[in-house]
Amino acid sequence: MSKSNGPAYPKSDMAYLRFNGVLGRIENLFNLIAATSILVLMLLAVIQVAGRNLFNQPVPGFIDITEQAMAVFAFMGIAYCQRVGGHIRMELVIGVFKGRTQWIAEFLGVLAILLVVSVLIYGSFLHFDRAWTFGDSTMDISIPTWPSKFVVPLALSLLWLRLVLQLFGYSRLIINPSASVLDLPHVMDAAQHAKAEIEETFHSAENGEEGPEMRTPAHGGAS
């Protein structure tokens, strides 16, 4: 008799998990780039201070480099943060809802974010297009500004895909409130959060590391 290595997921859950696995890898890469850019800027700032004070030789174009890097660390981790529920969530009202009503409220909230992000993608792409067309550059060492301006609509497009996936996830729960929450951000009290973390710890210890497409984080969201 064969033993199943994991839970049996409904088709809708499997569709979510497959797309989530692919999207999650891209989000992890973007987040790693954002974190690396912060580390590089910190090291560059140390060199800037040391060079200016000890050798009277600052890093050329330090301000220009910092300005262009801001788009990288400010936007490239935004989709990852949405996935893990790391953004600040106001749950004073939504925390009162239970069952299908709660999922409808979550769905409407994500839908509103999706509409705003769609407008931001359009506007930021226009800024990138102007910088590309006119050859815009920084004032000090003439770094082209189009790469940093392209990062914004690119990162927001990844966030847009994450929001669409979450809308699909919440729609499952609206249709069937007893379905698995998976990794969707949601309201959790202290007891539920502790229980989920314990279950995830034991599950990881017993089965080892899972692939991203089948991993369900213990925390569904952040308050």
Side-chain angles (χ1 to χ4, degrees):
M1 181 182 293
S2 61
K3 183 178 179 181
S4 176
N5 292 326
Y9 290 95
K11 288 184 178 180
S12 60
D13 287 10
M14 288 302 300
Y16 178 95
L17 290 168
R18 287 195 185 98
F19 190 46
N20 181 66
V22 175
L23 197 60
R25 292 186 184 96
I26 302 174
E27 290 167 344
N28 290 342
L29 175 61
F30 274 41
N31 193 53
L32 178 61
I33 294 172
T36 303
S37 71
I38 295 174
L39 176 61
V40 171
L41 277 179
M42 290 173 58
L43 297 175
L44 193 61
V46 173
I47 297 173
Q48 163 77 357
V49 173
R52 179 182 292 276
N53 293 333
L54 299 179
F55 308 104
N56 196 28
Q57 184 61 49
V59 176
F62 176 74
I63 300 299
D64 288 5
I65 296 171
T66 303
E67 287 176 346
Q68 300 310 300
M70 286 176 64
V72 177
F73 64 73
F75 287 94
M76 293 198 75
I78 195 170
Y80 173 88
C81 196
Q82 176 67 24
R83 185 184 87 203
V84 301
H87 295 297
I88 295 175
R89 288 163 47 91
M90 302 302 294
E91 297 176 344
L92 182 63
V93 176
I94 199 173
V96 179
F97 300 146
K98 301 296 180 184
R100 182 175 281 111
T101 306
Q102 179 185 353
W103 305 128
I104 292 174
E106 294 279 12
F107 181 93
L108 294 176
V110 173
L111 180 60
I113 299 171
L114 181 68
L115 296 176
V116 173
V117 170
S118 299
V119 175
L120 292 175
I121 291 173
Y122 176 74
S124 59
F125 182 81
L126 291 181
H127 282 292
F128 153 72
D129 186 57
R130 281 196 295 269
W132 172 271
T133 303
F134 296 111
D136 189 25
S137 62
T138 60
M139 296 182 64
D140 190 2
I141 57 174
S142 299
I143 301 175
T145 61
W146 68 262
S148 63
K149 291 186 177 181
F150 178 69
V151 165
V152 179
L154 179 65
L156 289 177
S157 296
L158 185 62
L159 174 60
W160 192 91
L161 291 175
R162 170 56 56 183
L163 293 171
V164 169
L165 182 61
Q166 289 185 346
L167 284 178
F168 172 74
Y170 286 127
S171 66
R172 296 167 38 260
L173 293 166
I174 293 173
I175 296 171
N176 179 19
S178 63
S180 173
V181 179
L182 301 176
D183 65 347
L184 292 166
H186 61 286
V187 180
M188 297 177 68
D189 58 31
Q192 290 174 324
H193 188 79
K195 180 181 178 182
E197 287 189 342
I198 292 171
E199 289 177 349
E200 184 187 26
T201 300
F202 278 106
H203 182 74
S204 300
E206 291 174 358
N207 301 314
E209 185 71 12
E210 289 184 308
E213 68 278 0
M214 298 301 291
R215 186 182 296 118
T216 304
H219 52 85
S223 6

